[in-house]
Amino acid sequence: QAGYTSLSFRDGEVECLKFLGWRLRAIPPIHFIGYFLAKGAIFQDDTWQDRNLIEKIPKYVKKYADFFCNLTLQEYSFQQYLPSELAAAILLASRVALQLQPRWRPELTTLTGQEDPKYV
């Protein structure tokens, strides 16, 4: 027998919870992305490759954003950033990857609380 009981495990878990301030919920960037996209992250006067937007652009932005969100989950070094900051950078990266212009707008700063994110 290893000398551990169910009570000792419970006590250890309680100590971990106390250390974390009982905050167990983590909100990943993809939840912020969903909110940002629902509020509107593509605008009528945006351009795509110097042309007017096509109907599928919002779908493509979501696909790129989902892809970039998944990458942030796979790489530990992204944990140093707040999920809201990552989500803003992911939104910018999605716009850049699709060659949307402008790459960042004042409306996006209002929506995300981030100036042109510095991570991209």
Side-chain angles (χ1 to χ4, degrees), residues 5-97:
T5 67
S6 61
L7 285 177
S8 64
F9 275 109
R10 187 199 65 186
D11 292 343
E13 289 174 348
V14 168
E15 286 301 313
C16 288
L17 290 170
K18 286 180 183 177
F19 178 78
L20 294 172
W22 296 89
R23 293 183 310 264
L24 297 179
R25 185 173 180 149
I27 301 173
I30 198 160
H31 289 283
F32 285 95
I33 287 292
Y35 174 78
F36 295 159
L37 294 177
K39 288 294 186 178
I42 308 299
F43 303 89
Q44 285 296 99
D45 58 338
D46 284 344
T47 61
W48 171 63
Q49 299 176 347
D50 295 322
R51 298 184 298 233
N52 291 331
L53 296 181
I54 61 173
E55 188 177 305
K56 294 183 179 183
I57 290 295
K59 181 191 283 186
Y60 292 149
V61 170
K62 176 152 179 27
K63 284 185 183 228
Y64 271 103
D66 289 345
F67 171 74
F68 290 132
C69 281
N70 285 328
L71 287 179
T72 65
L73 292 174
Q74 296 173 35
E75 177 56 47
Y76 182 75
S77 63
F78 286 108
Q79 298 304 308
Q80 66 183 309
Y81 303 107
L82 292 172
S84 58
E85 293 174 333
L86 276 176
I90 287 167
L91 184 56
L92 173 61
S94 300
R95 291 177 63 89
V96 168

Side-chain angles (χ1 to χ4, degrees), residues 33 68 86-98 100 102-105 108 115-120:
I33 287 292
F68 290 132
L86 276 176
I90 287 167
L91 184 56
L92 173 61
S94 300
R95 291 177 63 89
V96 168
L98 284 166
L100 295 179
R103 56 184 254 149
W104 197 252
R105 302 173 58 109
L108 294 173
E115 295 292 328
D116 189 348
K118 56 189 170 286
Y119 310 114
V120 178

